[in-house]
């Protein structure tokens, strides 16, 4: 059965007309002959909204008694039994009364979609989970009912219901939103013009980002590489030099001239790590661009102009800002430079701005090391020097008459071999050694113009020359390879440091980190590897970092398989167990037990340590948190934060609760593999005192 389609009317504030717009859409569909029903719509005693319910079939609601009161909720079973083509479900972020089928209404909607029913729903911008802190800062009100952003982002259609703050306040004053006794308080608090303007801008920006995702997806599906100038995006190319701050500020002024413009600063590092960029300077520039409302990106690429243009076209940029070259005049013999190359190859769809600065023509400071990641040009030069060099040297020495003597001839040919090794690596150097040996024998070793050697000493000299040439070439090539490996490791460590730092900048979801990895390494897509696996295949491997006698393991063979990334799960369990062993006291063993609970599998790691108060149980999952009097060297406080992030990325949960008898128990819950049918829910594993 095909999954149903979800359409959401998103409002900037209560009262803008989301429900009215949804009901109007329902009447249009009914007139077209569509089987459309009202699964749950609340009119809140608004006359115009109540009138719109007339003529629409309404599915009966379910009554639930809770705390001596009776509440009504959407009856999911009744809607599924009715099986309409389209169901109207108001207030997507609503929290259901305890005893309902699901905890949240968006979960009810998910069941309808899975059954092939199209759903039309509503939600306000302040109910999006990621915007809770922002909305509270604007309005002073914390929204308790939220919906995950991803639920709204997955909607097949998203329509913004907009209204100016002045018009919305007039609706409020006329009694079209709240009852008369609430109007004055609302107008002077939540519905102040400043609040409504900020919420409206928040909704517009969120929807604009969603539209941008649709655009990027469409461009990717149709392999469109040209820039569509639907929105100004300014890419700032950074070299790591001090002029980067000037470029960022200049781009910020350019962005300020166009509403909705974005700044994306990008630093492109060579894959071999052989750059002169200062990590400290890059950190300063990243902070500056983020303070100005832009984003910082770190990309790997050996051909800097091509990598920069690829990045710019990938983000649908419209402008590129580069600094004038810091190279001195004589350095232009190596080529036209990054700025000129980017300007030449950008095409008509990208505007390139070259900005002057105080560092122009002052040189690059530290020299750029030359490693063993050889490009095509260097290899060609290596072969030219290795093969053509000895031939030219032979012509030169032949024209000198008696020449400098055989010993000096040998040294000159040896120099050519070393030069070939430095330029082109081992193979051109070996070719140079072979060619040099033959030319020395034929032209400069008596009897000349033959390949025979009359004097044994000359024969020994040629043999030694060849051996020394091969040895020197091998040593030079090996040293270059080691230099390349060291530089590569340095580059990887810098990239890992950058990606780890993104956690502290708020990119706490695995999706955000994977997107950074994809962008950094120029990949088309990155995803965790979810295949079905048994817990008893992963958990024992995660215990390698703790003493063998410190853990009691109880994982029944009858457990269902789980859908996880084995590597992420192993690291998460290892962090949890190592943390439990570290805090367990009196040589008490840590218990690791698993059980099946309906369609879930639960892994419990219980220790006998000092435990954690209830008000601190969430704080221990924050980065750089070490509870209590943890000794020095007991870690930096990232283990549990990383573990929870990994678990949640696989659709699971990780929570802390008290161990009966004292201590702390970490409860890791995972989804059972698809197709598993629970016979009877097992009781969770318990640790008895």
């Amino acid at each position: 059965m095909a999954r149903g389609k979800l359409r959401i009317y998103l409002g900037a504030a209560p009262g803008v007309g989301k429900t009215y717009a949804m009901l109007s859409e329902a009447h249009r569909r009914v007139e077209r002959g569509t089987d459309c029903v009202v699964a749950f719509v609340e009119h809140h005693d608004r006359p115009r909204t109540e009138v719109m319910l007339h003529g629409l079939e309404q599915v009966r609601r379910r009554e639930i008694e809770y705390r001596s009161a009776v509440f009504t909720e959407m009856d999911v079973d009744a809607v599924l039994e009715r099986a309409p083509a389209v169901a109207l479900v108001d207030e997507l972020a609503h929290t259901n009364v305890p005893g309902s089928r699901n905890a949240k209404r968006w979960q009810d909607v998910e069941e309808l979609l899975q059954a092939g029913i199209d759903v039309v729903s509503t939600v306000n911008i302040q109910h999006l989970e990621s915007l809770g802190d922002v909305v509270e800062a604007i309005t002073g009100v914390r929204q308790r009912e939220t919906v995950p952003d991803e639920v709204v982002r997955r909607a097949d259609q998203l329509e913004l219901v907009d209204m100016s703050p002045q018009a919305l306040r007039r609706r409020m004053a006329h009694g079209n939103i709240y009852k008369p006794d609430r109007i004055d308080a609302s107008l002077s608090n939540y519905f102040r013009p400043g609040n409504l303007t900020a919420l409206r801008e928040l909704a517009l920006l969120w929807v604009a980002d969603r539209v941008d995702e649709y655009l990027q997806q469409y461009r990717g599906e149709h392999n469109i590489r040209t820039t569509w100038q639907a929105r100004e995006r300014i890419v700032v190319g950074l070299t790591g030099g001090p002029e980067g701050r000037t470029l960022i500020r200049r781009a910020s002024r350019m962005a300020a001239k166009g509403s909705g413009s974005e700044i994306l600063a990008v630093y492109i590092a060579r894959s071999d790590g052989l750059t002169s960029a200062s990590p400290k300077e890059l950190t300063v520039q990243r902070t500056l661009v983020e303070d100005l409302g832009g984003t910082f990106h770190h990309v790997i690429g050996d051909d800097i102009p091509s990598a920069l243009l690829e990045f710019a076209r990938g983000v649908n940029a419209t402008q590129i800002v580069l600094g004038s070259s810091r190279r001195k005049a004589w350095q232009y013999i190596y080529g036209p430079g990054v700025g000129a190359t980017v300007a030449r190859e950008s095409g008509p769809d990208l505007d390139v701005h070259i900005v002057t600065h105080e560092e122009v023509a002052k040189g690059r400071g530290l020299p750029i090391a030359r490693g063993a990641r050889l490009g095509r040009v260097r290899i060609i030069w290596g072969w030219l020097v290795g093969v053509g060099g000895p031939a030219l040297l032979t012509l030169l020495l032949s024209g000198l008459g008696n020449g400098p003597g055989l010993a000096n001839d040998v040294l000159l040919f040896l120099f050519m071999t070393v030069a070939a090794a430095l330029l082109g690596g081992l193979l051109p150097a070996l070719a140079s050694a072979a060619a040099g040996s033959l030319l020395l024998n034929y032209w400069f070793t008596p009897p000349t113009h033959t390949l025979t050697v009359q004097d044994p000493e000359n024969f020994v000299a040629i043999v030694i020359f060849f051996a020394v040439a091969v040895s020197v070439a091998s040593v030079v090539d090996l040293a270059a390879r080691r230099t390349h490996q060291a530089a590569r490791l340095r580059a990887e460590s810098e990239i890992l440091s950058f990606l780890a730092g993104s956690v502290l900048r708020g990119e706490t979801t695995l999706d955000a980190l994977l997107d950074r990895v994809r962008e950094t390494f120029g990949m088309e897509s990155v995803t965790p590897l979810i295949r079905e696996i048994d817990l008893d295949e992963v958990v024992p491997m995660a215990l390698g970092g703790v003493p063998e006698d410190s853990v009691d393991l109880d994982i029944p063979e009858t457990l269902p398989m789980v859908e996880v990334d084995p590597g992420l799960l192993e690291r998460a369990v290892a962090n949890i167990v190592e943390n439990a062993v570290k805090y367990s006291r009196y040589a008490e063993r840590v218990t690791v037990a698993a059980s099946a609970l309906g369609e879930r599998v639960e892994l419990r790691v219980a220790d006998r340590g000092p435990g954690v108060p209830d008000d601190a149980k969430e704080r221990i999952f924050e980065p750089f948190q070490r509870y209590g009097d943890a000794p020095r060297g007991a870690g930096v406080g990232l283990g549990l934060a990383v573990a929870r992030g990994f678990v949640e990325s696989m659709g699971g949960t990780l929570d802390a609760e008290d161990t009966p008898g004292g201590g702390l128990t970490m409860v890791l819950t995972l989804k059972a593999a698809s197709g598993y049918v629970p016979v009877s829910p097992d009781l969770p594993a318990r640790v008895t005192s």
Side-chain angles (χ1 to χ4, degrees):
M1 178 181 296
R3 177 184 171 87
K5 295 186 180 299
L6 175 62
R7 178 171 184 166
I8 296 178
Y9 287 93
L10 176 68
V16 294
K18 305 179 305 299
T19 304
Y20 189 92
M22 177 180 67
L23 293 173
S24 298
E25 173 67 18
H27 280 286
R28 287 192 292 271
R29 297 197 182 199
V30 170
E31 290 174 1
R32 294 196 300 264
T34 303
D35 182 16
C36 181
V37 302
V38 175
F40 190 98
V41 170
E42 191 65 67
H43 56 73
H44 297 291
D45 295 326
R46 297 169 185 168
R48 295 182 63 187
T49 304
E50 186 176 6
V51 168
M52 292 297 294
L53 283 169
H54 296 166
L56 297 176
E57 177 186 348
Q58 300 187 46
V59 179
R60 70 176 186 274
R61 299 185 182 184
R62 180 187 177 191
E63 294 185 348
I64 301 175
E65 185 175 350
Y66 179 67
R67 292 184 177 178
S68 302
V70 177
F71 300 86
T72 60
E73 295 286 3
M74 180 173 68
D75 193 331
V76 179
D77 289 325
V79 178
L80 292 174
E81 182 180 355
R82 172 61 176 76
V86 180
L88 308 185
V89 183
D90 206 7
E91 299 177 353
L92 189 63
H94 172 75
T95 300
N96 293 329
V97 175
S100 301
R101 182 188 187 99
N102 295 302
K104 304 286 290 188
R105 184 164 291 165
W106 65 263
Q107 296 171 322
D108 295 337
V109 168
E110 182 65 24
E111 286 198 41
L112 301 183
L113 295 172
Q114 292 288 353
I117 300 174
D118 292 348
V119 175
V120 183
S121 188
T122 65
V123 71
N124 282 329
I125 191 67
Q126 67 263 30
H127 293 297
L128 294 181
E129 200 168 73
S130 69
L131 301 178
D133 294 337
V134 180
V135 172
E136 183 178 11
I138 294 172
T139 65
V141 178
R142 184 69 181 186
Q143 299 293 333
R144 299 300 176 187
E145 293 189 325
T146 61
V147 59
D149 290 45
E150 187 59 27
V151 174
V152 182
R153 288 183 182 277
R154 287 201 306 262
D156 299 277
Q157 297 181 56
L158 184 65
E159 184 169 329
L160 177 66
V161 183
D162 188 27
M163 182 177 290
S164 69
Q166 294 76 14
L168 185 56
R169 286 172 58 84
R170 283 197 299 270
R171 289 197 64 194
M172 173 69 72
H174 293 162
N176 294 330
I177 301 177
Y178 292 152
K179 294 182 178 179
D181 59 343
R182 297 179 57 188
I183 293 177
D184 290 340
S186 299
L187 288 174
S188 59
N189 290 285
Y190 194 91
F191 284 80
R192 292 196 301 268
N195 288 0
L196 297 178
T197 301
L199 291 173
R200 187 188 190 197
E201 182 178 6
L202 198 62
L204 291 170
L205 290 174
W206 197 91
V207 172
D209 287 339
R210 181 65 177 123
V211 173
D212 208 41
E213 292 176 11
Y214 280 130
L215 179 61
Q216 295 292 0
Q217 180 181 352
Y218 179 86
R219 284 165 53 85
E221 291 174 351
H222 293 78
N223 196 28
I224 299 172
R225 305 304 299 165
T226 57
T227 299
W228 287 359
Q229 299 184 354
R231 184 179 183 181
E232 290 292 337
R233 281 192 180 85
I234 304 173
V235 170
V236 184
L238 302 177
T239 65
E243 76 281 359
R245 307 180 203 181
T246 302
L247 303 183
I248 292 170
R249 294 189 181 99
R250 177 61 182 274
S252 178
R253 293 196 298 271
M254 294 169 59
K257 296 178 181 179
S259 178
S261 298
E262 290 183 67
I263 304 174
L264 301 93
V266 56
Y267 169 68
I268 299 176
R270 288 175 54 184
S271 61
D272 55 12
L274 303 176
T275 64
S276 58
S278 166
K280 181 178 180 180
E281 180 63 30
L282 285 177
T283 301
V284 171
Q285 294 176 16
R286 178 174 62 233
T287 302
L288 175 61
V289 73
E290 290 176 350
D291 287 344
L292 293 174
T295 56
F296 183 89
H297 304 263
H298 193 289
V299 175
I300 299 297
D302 290 318
D303 188 337
I304 292 179
S306 297
L308 179 60
L309 288 169
E310 183 71 17
F311 174 83
R313 293 190 175 109
V315 299
N316 200 28
T318 57
Q319 302 180 58
I320 297 178
V321 175
L322 298 173
S324 297
S325 178
R326 286 184 287 144
R327 295 195 297 178
K328 295 183 180 297
W330 64 267
Q331 291 178 310
Y332 281 95
I333 62 174
Y334 295 118
V338 173
T341 304
V342 170
R344 184 181 67 245
E345 299 180 0
S346 62
D349 53 345
L350 269 173
D351 296 333
V352 180
H353 304 269
I354 306 297
V355 178
T356 58
H357 50 84
E358 295 180 353
E359 303 297 321
V360 173
K362 289 186 178 180
R364 293 185 175 274
L366 297 176
I368 297 177
R370 302 178 69 83
R373 188 175 181 84
L374 306 176
R376 182 178 179 183
V377 174
R378 282 193 59 183
I379 293 176
I380 293 175
W381 273 105
W383 281 102
L384 289 175
V385 172
V387 178
L392 292 176
L393 184 59
T394 300
L395 292 176
L396 178 62
L397 294 176
S398 298
L400 295 179
N402 293 331
L406 182 60
N408 291 323
D409 293 341
V410 170
L411 292 177
L412 290 172
F413 277 95
L414 182 60
F415 171 78
M416 286 294 175
T417 301
V418 174
L422 289 172
L423 285 172
L426 183 60
L427 291 179
L430 293 178
S432 178
S437 300
L438 293 175
L439 291 172
L440 278 171
N441 187 355
Y442 189 83
W443 289 98
F444 306 107
T445 305
T448 58
H449 306 299
T450 66
L451 293 178
T452 60
V453 180
Q454 186 174 11
D455 189 343
E457 293 182 0
N458 294 337
F459 178 78
V460 172
I462 294 176
V463 171
I464 292 175
F465 160 76
F466 184 78
V468 170
V470 171
S471 301
V472 169
S474 300
V475 170
V476 170
D477 183 73
L478 181 61
R481 289 178 183 274
R482 293 291 183 264
T483 301
H484 166 63
Q485 292 172 359
R488 177 70 182 185
L489 291 175
R490 173 190 164 195
E492 290 177 354
S493 65
E494 290 179 353
I495 294 166
L496 290 175
S497 175
F498 171 76
L499 293 176
S502 63
V503 175
L504 303 181
R505 295 190 295 275
E507 298 175 7
T508 55
T509 65
L510 183 65
D511 289 340
L513 292 179
L514 290 179
D515 190 60
R516 281 288 190 179
V517 172
R518 177 199 59 76
E519 176 188 89
T520 298
F521 293 100
M523 300 176 179
E524 293 184 0
S525 62
V526 177
T527 183
L529 182 61
I530 305 296
R531 62 187 180 278
E532 296 179 357
I533 197 169
D534 288 314
L535 275 184
D536 56 7
E537 296 181 24
V538 178
V539 176
M541 298 174 62
L543 305 182
V546 298
E548 293 184 3
D549 59 349
S550 62
V551 176
D552 287 330
L553 189 61
D554 180 18
I555 301 183
E557 296 182 356
T558 56
L559 281 179
M561 302 178 78
V562 291
E563 293 182 347
V564 297
D565 181 294
L568 294 183
L569 179 60
E570 180 185 342
R571 189 64 260 166
V573 174
N575 287 355
I576 297 169
V577 174
E578 290 170 8
N579 189 76
V581 171
K582 178 171 60 180
Y583 284 98
S584 196
R585 57 188 177 183
Y586 311 130
E588 292 279 358
R589 297 164 70 95
V590 171
T591 301
V592 180
S595 59
L597 292 172
E599 297 181 352
R600 298 172 296 152
V601 174
E602 191 175 86
L603 184 71
R604 304 172 71 88
V605 179
D607 66 53
R608 292 295 185 182
V612 176
D614 290 340
D615 59 355
K617 282 187 170 64
E618 279 300 309
R619 289 204 306 271
I620 62 177
F621 292 102
E622 297 176 1
F624 305 115
Q625 296 295 316
R626 295 189 296 130
Y627 180 71
D629 56 350
R632 283 185 172 272
V636 296
L638 284 175
L640 293 181
V642 170
R644 173 174 271 189
F646 285 173
V647 171
E648 291 180 349
S649 72
M650 297 181 288
T653 60
L654 178 61
D655 298 293
E657 62 182 42
D658 294 328
T659 302
L664 188 70
T665 298
M666 291 291 174
V667 183
L668 191 162
T669 304
L670 298 168
K671 181 182 178 182
S674 57
Y676 169 71
V677 179
V679 179
S680 59
D682 298 332
L683 291 176
R686 295 188 59 191
V687 180
T688 57
S689 56

